[in-house]
């Protein structure tokens, strides 16, 4: 995965305010309950907002993330003691073949470079039992969402627990599905903390091929959280697949 863009302790405190649970969290919780999952992996768990909500009696939940700052925050939240937190990426997963469900949420899978995606999917397949399910979402490249991330369109000012912030996004490169952008965060003292992120936009067919190559089958791709079809106007893909 890319270098951690959330290494700033003050900005991590704002992450859950900016990314509250919604239809996405409802979807993954419902899927875990539908499957009767007794073992769940949340890869790229971040601050653990969804991860902690997946906890049920008789269910083990593992949260994995390559950001120590995110994990430290996650560990400090109510209910964190019910989750096993692991620093790392997919290579930190034990190839036990016992997990019932693995999820990768918040478009986190888009941080994976082309040479990282196959190894990550293979590691997830080895961690899941036969018939286990992997679910994730990613932005639809046909929607071309990065074209809306201009400074003018994303500029905002707000009062936060760390003071008044001025914020905006600025795309610096967009080519062959690889989008690089800077997130500007100007603090009250004028300091601009700039964090660069790289996202890899992939077609649904490329994801499908990668999943099947890693040992997944019964691949389903929806265009929204309610099972709608994928269209050019769909903002995202919602995938689920079963481990062979």
């Amino acid at each position: 995965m890319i270098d951690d863009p959330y290494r700033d302790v003050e900005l991590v405190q704002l992450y859950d305010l900016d990314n509250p649970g919604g239809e996405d969290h409802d979807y993954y919780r419902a899927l875990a309950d539908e499957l009767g999952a007794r073992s769940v992996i949340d890869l790229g768990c971040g601050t653990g907002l969804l991860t902690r909500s997946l906890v049920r009696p008789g269910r083990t939940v593992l949260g994995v993330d390559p950001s120590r700052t995110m994990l430290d925050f996650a560990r400090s939240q109510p209910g964190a003691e019910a989750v096993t937190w692991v620093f790392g990426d997919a290579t930190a997963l034990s190839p036990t073949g016992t997990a019932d469900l693995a999820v990768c949420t918040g478009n986190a899978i888009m941080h994976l470079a082309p040479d990282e995606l196959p190894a990550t999917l293979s590691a997830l397949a080895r961690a899941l039992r036969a018939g286990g399910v992997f679910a994730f979402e990613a932005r639809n490249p046909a929607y071309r969402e990065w074209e809306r991330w201009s400074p003018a369109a994303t500029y905002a000012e707000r009062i936060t627990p760390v003071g008044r912030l001025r914020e905006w996004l600025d795309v610096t490169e967009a080519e062959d599905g690889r989008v690089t952008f800077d997130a500007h965060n100007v603090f009250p003292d004028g300091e601009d903390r700039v964090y660069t992120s790289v996202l890899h936009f992939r077609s649904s067919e490329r994801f499908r091929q990668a999943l099947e190559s890693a040992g997944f089958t019964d691949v389903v791709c929806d265009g929204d959280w309610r099972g709608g079809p994928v269209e050019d106007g769909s903002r995202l893909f919602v995938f689920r697949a079963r481990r062979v």
Side-chain angles (χ1 to χ4, degrees), residues 59-108:
R59 175 187 293 169
T60 62
V61 179
L62 178 73
V64 184
D65 201 273
S67 167
R68 290 190 185 277
T69 309
M70 286 277 203
L71 281 182
D72 286 345
F73 183 88
R75 291 187 178 105
S76 71
Q77 300 308 296
E81 68 283 352
V83 177
T84 299
W85 306 99
V86 176
F87 170 71
D89 54 21
T91 62
L93 297 174
S94 298
T96 56
T98 57
D100 298 305
L101 172 65
V103 301
C104 186
T105 70
N107 299 304

Side-chain angles (χ1 to χ4, degrees), residues 14-25 49-50:
L14 307 180
Y15 188 84
D16 289 347
L17 294 175
D18 296 338
N19 300 274
E23 283 187 293
D24 53 346
H25 288 199
L49 184 63
L50 170 64

Side-chain angles (χ1 to χ4, degrees), residues 5 7 11 52 64 88 95 101 124 131 141 150 213 218 222 233 237-238:
R7 58 190 177 275
L11 292 178
R52 289 177 282 115
V64 184
L101 172 65
L124 285 165
S150 68
S213 295
D218 297 338
D222 295 325
F237 302 135
V238 181

Side-chain angles (χ1 to χ4, degrees), residues 1-240:
M1 289 187 178
I2 62 168
D3 196 27
D4 175 21
Y6 297 106
R7 58 190 177 275
D8 189 300
V9 173
E10 290 183 298
L11 292 178
V12 164
Q13 296 175 37
L14 307 180
Y15 188 84
D16 289 347
L17 294 175
D18 296 338
N19 300 274
E23 283 187 293
D24 53 346
H25 288 199
D26 292 341
Y27 175 89
Y28 291 114
R29 282 191 294 265
L31 179 60
D33 292 343
E34 174 190 329
L35 296 173
R38 298 181 61 82
S39 176
V40 178
I41 297 168
D42 186 358
L43 181 63
C45 65
T47 58
L49 184 63
L50 170 64
T51 324
R52 289 177 282 115
S53 75
L54 288 168
V55 172
R56 298 283 189 277
R59 175 187 293 169
T60 62
V61 179
L62 178 73
V64 184
D65 201 273
S67 167
R68 290 190 185 277
T69 309
M70 286 277 203
L71 281 182
D72 286 345
F73 183 88
R75 291 187 178 105
S76 71
Q77 300 308 296
E81 68 283 352
V83 177
T84 299
W85 306 99
V86 176
F87 170 71
D89 54 21
T91 62
L93 297 174
S94 298
T96 56
T98 57
D100 298 305
L101 172 65
V103 301
C104 186
T105 70
N107 299 304
I109 203 165
M110 297 180 68
H111 290 301
L112 295 172
D115 62 339
E116 296 174 315
L117 182 62
T120 297
L121 295 179
S122 294
L124 285 165
R126 290 191 296 271
L128 287 164
R129 64 169 175 80
V133 172
F134 174 44
F136 65 95
E137 89 274 8
R139 292 184 172 99
N140 179 3
Y143 189 73
R144 303 183 68 83
E145 190 164 6
W146 64 88
E147 295 179 348
R148 298 162 174 82
W149 298 344
S150 68
T154 59
Y155 183 86
E157 296 186 26
R158 59 175 173 153
I159 302 297
T160 75
V162 297
R164 185 178 187 86
L165 293 182
R166 293 188 293 120
E167 305 162 304
W168 66 91
L169 301 179
D170 188 11
V171 174
T172 58
E173 180 185 6
E175 187 175 359
D176 296 330
R178 184 180 189 272
V179 176
T180 304
F181 65 95
D182 294 332
H184 292 259
N185 306 269
V186 182
F187 279 68
D189 63 1
E191 180 187 6
D192 185 3
R193 302 183 192 176
V194 182
Y195 297 101
T196 301
S197 295
V198 180
L199 296 181
H200 299 272
F201 287 75
R202 299 173 172 93
S203 68
S204 60
E205 185 56 31
R206 286 184 64 187
F207 272 123
R208 184 182 301 274
Q209 291 172 356
L211 286 163
E212 292 175 348
S213 295
F216 289 94
T217 188
D218 297 338
V219 179
V220 175
C221 178
D222 295 325
D224 58 40
W225 298 109
R226 297 170 298 284
V230 173
E231 301 172 345
D232 285 350
S234 302
R235 291 186 63 190
L236 77 164
F237 302 135
V238 181
F239 273 95
R240 62 187 181 279

